[in-house]
Amino acid sequence: MHLASSHLPGITLVTIAGEVDAASSGHLETYLDRVRRGLDEHLIIDVSRLAFLDSSGLSVLLAAATLARAHGADVHLAGLRPSVARLLQITGTVELVRIHGHVRQAVAAVQARRDPAAFGRAEPPEAV
């Protein structure tokens, strides 16, 4: 498993590549706890390169979603592969996280939630 992270205003973005199973899920949990700047930050997880997720990895994602919701934030998963999407669907996890096709869609969703009035509002015309 390979993990990487970056930050945007109000967002921690984590990329997971490889497999998350019983041997690596503890590392994922520790990593998520360490890279978040605040519990009220939204967590966007790019899972487009996640090849396998077992129940222990699913448990880590559920714990992260529960913690985020308790602090007014959400966990967003972007780029689900079919096998991971199926696991989330079967277990009902899709009800607890937000699903997006791409990271940019997840970022836009968080930004819209943070400032809904800004979306759809036209920029003022420039002075001539």
Side-chain angles (χ1 to χ4, degrees):
M1 174 180 67
H2 176 74
L3 301 168
S5 67
S6 60
H7 296 279
L8 299 167
I11 299 170
T12 298
L13 172 61
V14 173
T15 301
I16 304 173
E19 299 183 354
V20 179
D21 56 21
S24 60
S25 62
H27 179 63
L28 174 61
E29 183 174 26
T30 300
Y31 187 82
L32 293 177
D33 290 342
R34 191 180 75 227
V35 298
R36 293 177 80 186
R37 292 178 296 197
L39 296 177
D40 60 340
E41 277 197 331
H42 293 273
L43 182 60
I44 297 175
I45 304 174
D46 179 357
V47 292
S48 62
R49 291 182 279 159
L50 178 63
F52 177 77
L53 178 73
D54 76 357
S55 61
S56 63
L58 181 63
S59 178
V60 171
L61 295 180
L62 290 173
T66 300
L67 183 62
R69 285 198 174 188
H71 291 88
D74 289 307
V75 170
H76 300 255
L77 301 180
L80 289 173
R81 289 183 170 193
S83 61
V84 175
R86 179 85 173 121
L87 175 64
L88 298 178
Q89 187 69 35
I90 289 170
T91 61
T93 304
V94 293
E95 303 298 325
L96 301 173
V97 298
R98 299 185 185 275
I99 306 294
H100 306 277
H102 302 281
V103 169
R104 67 181 176 276
Q105 293 169 330
V107 170
V110 170
Q111 291 171 337
R113 182 172 182 226
R114 290 179 62 213
D115 187 10
F119 284 80
R121 181 172 64 201
E123 291 295 318
E126 291 184 27
V128 182

